[in-house]
Amino acid sequence: MRIDLDQQTCPCCGGELHAIGETVSEMLDHVPARLRIIRICRPRYGCRACGTIHQAAAPERPIAKGLAIPVFSRMSWSPNTAITCRFTGRARSSPGRVSRSIARPWQNWVGGACWWLEPLQARLAEHVFASQKLFADDTPIPVLDPGRGRTKTGRFWVYARDDRPWSWG
């Protein structure tokens, strides 16, 4: 992907711009069963007449300084949408091995993306807890305990709402 200036003339003095370098950044994009790298190239131009440097603005990222693209913007949402992220499972099924140096940022991106999903979670919780009939499940799961080299017991709570009529007879 190349993002360039609209004009090749200096907005300060009208002089002709010449290329003096470029800024290149990369983002990971997840396409089912493969990862790809999107390279963003933004040429820098300098004006010999007035000595200024010009460059197109970098695209915004959903997670500051993150490498992941805004995948969630391509998803359609409904109250019944469930998001499951099992990067390690996908990594094992991928043709190439994924190192921990790749897996760790991925986990951080998921954590950063959770911030964007908080309003959705709040609306879903408001909807579910407003019901007269509420079902709950508490499942213990092993969670890594960093620094201790073992796992501890975490809790996975699931709530469901069912407003359908019912009777004992």
Side-chain angles (χ1 to χ4, degrees), residues 7-132:
Q7 299 178 14
Q8 299 297 315
T9 57
C10 180
C12 300
C13 67
E16 183 179 339
L17 298 177
H18 65 282
I20 59 171
E22 64 186 17
T23 303
V24 177
S25 60
E26 295 177 343
M27 296 187 296
L28 288 178
D29 182 16
H30 179 256
V31 177
R34 72 174 204 210
L35 290 173
R36 66 180 182 168
I37 295 175
I38 299 173
R39 182 171 289 215
I40 300 168
C41 184
R42 299 180 303 125
R44 285 189 304 271
Y45 296 95
C47 177
R48 289 189 176 104
C50 67
T52 57
I53 296 174
H54 305 278
Q55 185 175 38
E60 285 194 41
R61 298 178 185 231
I63 301 169
K65 298 182 182 177
L67 295 177
I69 66 166
V71 174
F72 293 122
S73 66
R74 294 190 295 208
M75 298 175 75
S76 60
W77 295 98
S78 72
N80 299 321
T81 300
I83 298 173
T84 304
C85 181
R86 293 183 56 213
F87 180 73
T88 54
R90 290 189 190 278
R92 286 189 203 106
S93 64
S94 299
R97 297 290 296 166
V98 177
S99 69
R100 288 179 185 234
S101 64
I102 296 293
R104 176 65 63 192
W106 184 275
Q107 293 162 352
N108 293 340
W109 301 332
V110 171
C114 288
W115 179 85
W116 291 99
L117 298 174
E118 283 180 9
L120 176 64
Q121 185 274 335
R123 293 284 307 270
L124 284 171
E126 180 182 330
H127 173 74
V128 169
F129 293 132
S131 176
Q132 295 295 317

